[in-house]
Amino acid sequence: MSTSTAAPPKSSVSTHILDTSVGRPAQAVAVRLSARSGPGADWQPLGGSATDADGRCKDLPALPEGTTHVRLDFDTETYFAKKQAAAQQDAPALRDSENGRPVFFPEVTVAFAVVPGEHYHVPLLLNPFGYSVYRGS
């Protein structure tokens, strides 16, 4: 009879972004993934990806063993700058922006706690002047 110590199952993360200002997925948003092994530990960058045509990021790196906290960083400024350049007729968005910038939040950072073996899907509902996140399924 052999006893083996199996490694605890790893957690995984996925996300998607809906641009609520147009009711469509946000394509080509850069997303960076970081993790740490406890409160106060340094964040370790794990890599990143970009959202696909459906606004989804399904290929984020696996989380290392011992991960207790995860952080997703979304580059919203670049996304909205490209969108604004493609649609110059959106004068109200520029009217309310400081210095004509197309976005109030240049990046969105979401940090959350994880346990081994769970999958975490974290959707981002985004518009130029606000955002909301939640744990999806």
Side-chain angles (χ1 to χ4, degrees):
M1 184 191 284
S2 73
T3 58
S4 65
T5 306
K10 292 187 177 184
S11 298
S12 59
V13 175
S14 62
T15 188
H16 79 269
I17 305 173
L18 176 65
D19 181 343
T20 59
S21 67
V22 293
R24 302 236 182 260
Q27 183 177 3
V29 177
V31 180
R32 292 182 316 276
L33 176 69
S34 302
R36 66 181 183 189
S37 59
D42 290 336
W43 289 103
Q44 302 301 315
L46 300 180
S49 187
T51 55
D52 62 17
D54 195 31
R56 296 184 182 277
C57 218
K58 302 175 192 171
D59 59 349
L60 292 169
L63 301 178
E65 187 176 330
T67 297
T68 60
H69 296 91
V70 172
R71 185 175 70 195
L72 291 170
D73 295 297
F74 300 90
D75 179 7
T76 56
E77 184 168 41
T78 300
Y79 167 75
F80 280 115
K82 287 179 186 174
K83 180 181 164 192
Q84 189 63 41
Q88 290 296 319
Q89 72 276 8
D90 192 11
L94 288 177
R95 181 196 68 221
D96 295 335
S97 298
E98 184 176 325
N99 298 323
R101 295 181 68 118
V103 63
F104 183 67
F105 297 104
E107 62 186 48
V108 172
T109 299
V110 179
F112 53 97
V114 299
V115 296
E118 292 281 324
H119 174 71
Y120 295 88
H121 182 65
V122 182
L124 173 64
L125 304 176
L126 180 65
N127 69 64
F129 303 102
Y131 64 89
S132 178
V133 297
Y134 59 96
R135 180 172 181 187
S137 56

